[in-house]
Amino acid sequence: MSSVHVFRTFTLVLLISFLVGCGCSGNSATPLPSATLIPPTRTPFPPSPTPIPTAAVVNGDLITLAEYQEELARYKAAVNRDLTLEDQETVINDLINLTLLAQAAKSEGYQISETDLEERVAALDTEEQPLDDWLAAHGFTPDSFRVFLKRALEAAWMRDKIIADVPTEMVQIYAQQILLYKLQDAELVLEELEKGKDFSELARNYDPQTRGDLGWFPPNFLTLPELDPVLFNLEIGETSDIIETEIGYHIITVLEKEENRPLDPAVRQILQEKAIDSWLERRWKLSTIEITLPT
């Protein structure tokens, strides 16, 4: 199972919005029965601990059923509708993604200590936004919030480390395309281009609104990855042959090209999201993940 859709978990969004905007430890073990009640032919053993109900086990780390149910309730409140099986899968996979990121942060040497965690929790309790009120509004107990906060902060650290590797400038091209849905039509357009027909005029005929303008973009930006190997090998003013993809038949011309053009912030954000997706996809493959939700 892999739901490494863009890593935008509701949990992490909830944490960030909160940060911007604003247990019992005793020993209650059951005593052993009196010796007079134990048959002499049996050796007394202490009772086995009751297993913690889990929703998933990620490389040995537990995501408890209680955590999953709390997160499911928060998700339901956020979308304000009855949840589907797909929604449930999204929630458990988002929790797994958070866990994978937090585990990686620890392997990189970053980990929130209990002292640091307590200080961070205390700092969140303000007169403008009392922590108890916020916890109640979002379905947390103090203990479950500490578990959530620790994992989310470690995950956020690793997320930031991944996206920091996305450069601020890259090779980019400015391109224009003619998209057709029948091979025969694409072949006719290509023939017209080869006879000297103006590309922009043909593009306007097939797409009056945008004229096939693709704007500036770097490698690994388009949603159709099979286009990149062709487009980034074209020279300025050169037009591609017909490129077949799942959505149709493309003929594309490169209008401009720059080797080190600054990335538009929105484009860089998309590349960062793709970097996180790629990281998570690799991590899922390398990890031992067992989803233990009751069927």
Side-chain angles (χ1 to χ4, degrees):
M1 168 185 276
S2 176
S3 177
V4 290
H5 52 279
V6 175
F7 179 65
R8 292 186 288 260
T9 70
F10 172 68
T11 296
L12 198 53
V13 170
L14 180 64
L15 170 69
I16 293 170
S17 65
F18 175 60
L19 294 179
V20 171
C22 63
C24 177
S25 60
N27 185 354
S28 59
T30 303
L32 291 176
S34 167
T36 58
L37 300 179
I38 301 174
T41 56
R42 298 178 57 193
T43 303
F45 290 99
S48 299
T50 303
I52 299 174
T54 62
V57 182
V58 183
N59 297 320
D61 288 346
L62 304 184
I63 298 173
T64 68
L65 187 60
E67 290 176 72
Y68 165 75
Q69 290 171 337
E70 287 182 0
E71 183 65 14
L72 202 63
R74 285 188 286 273
Y75 188 93
K76 182 176 181 179
V79 300
N80 193 29
R81 58 172 168 75
D82 291 336
L83 300 186
T84 64
L85 290 176
E86 184 178 353
D87 292 325
Q88 295 172 32
E89 183 177 342
T90 295
V91 169
I92 189 60
N93 287 338
D94 281 351
L95 288 171
I96 291 171
N97 288 342
L98 279 170
T99 303
L100 290 171
L101 286 159
Q103 288 174 342
K106 294 173 187 175
S107 71
E108 296 275 349
Y110 179 83
Q111 186 172 1
I112 301 291
S113 68
E114 288 303 315
T115 300
D116 190 16
L117 184 63
E118 290 303 319
E119 290 175 353
R120 288 172 182 262
V121 171
L124 296 174
D125 193 10
T126 64
E127 290 185 6
E128 294 79 14
Q129 188 174 36
L131 182 59
D132 287 344
D133 293 348
W134 189 89
L135 295 182
H138 292 88
F140 285 108
T141 67
D143 287 341
S144 69
F145 179 67
R146 282 167 173 76
V147 172
F148 152 79
L149 182 62
K150 185 175 189 296
R151 180 189 289 147
L153 287 170
E154 290 167 349
W157 183 89
M158 192 64 205
R159 174 209 59 197
D160 290 345
K161 188 175 187 299
I162 294 167
I163 65 177
D165 290 336
V166 176
T168 57
E169 57 183 38
M170 297 177 67
V171 59
Q172 295 182 65
I173 60 174
Y174 189 95
Q176 187 178 23
Q177 79 164 346
I178 300 172
L179 175 61
L180 304 116
Y181 302 102
K182 295 180 179 179
L183 179 58
Q184 184 178 4
D185 292 340
E187 290 172 341
L188 291 174
V189 168
L190 192 59
E191 286 180 12
E192 290 191 67
L193 290 170
E194 290 172 346
K195 292 177 182 178
K197 189 77 172 181
D198 182 70
F199 192 101
S200 293
E201 183 179 340
L202 281 172
R204 182 175 61 249
N205 290 340
Y206 288 96
D207 186 356
Q209 290 188 330
T210 70
R211 299 184 178 185
D213 190 343
L214 297 176
W216 285 98
F217 58 90
N220 195 36
F221 176 75
L222 298 178
T223 56
L224 300 167
E226 58 264 45
L227 295 178
D228 275 14
V230 178
L231 301 187
F232 283 89
N233 283 312
L234 294 177
E235 299 298 329
I236 296 175
E238 190 176 1
T239 298
S240 73
D241 289 328
I242 298 169
I243 310 170
E244 182 180 359
T245 71
E246 63 184 27
I247 67 170
Y249 300 90
H250 309 252
I251 302 172
I252 302 177
T253 188
V254 173
L255 303 176
E256 296 184 63
K257 186 175 185 178
E258 291 184 21
E259 290 298 322
N260 294 292
R261 180 180 175 86
L263 287 170
D264 181 275
V267 172
R268 186 167 187 259
Q269 181 179 350
I270 291 173
L271 292 181
Q272 288 173 332
E273 292 172 351
K274 287 190 173 188
I276 294 170
D277 275 352
S278 296
W279 185 95
L280 284 167
E281 185 174 359
R282 292 192 302 272
R283 203 73 177 190
W284 273 73
K285 292 177 180 177
L286 295 171
S287 298
T288 301
I289 299 172
E290 181 184 6
I291 296 178
T292 56
L293 288 172
T295 57

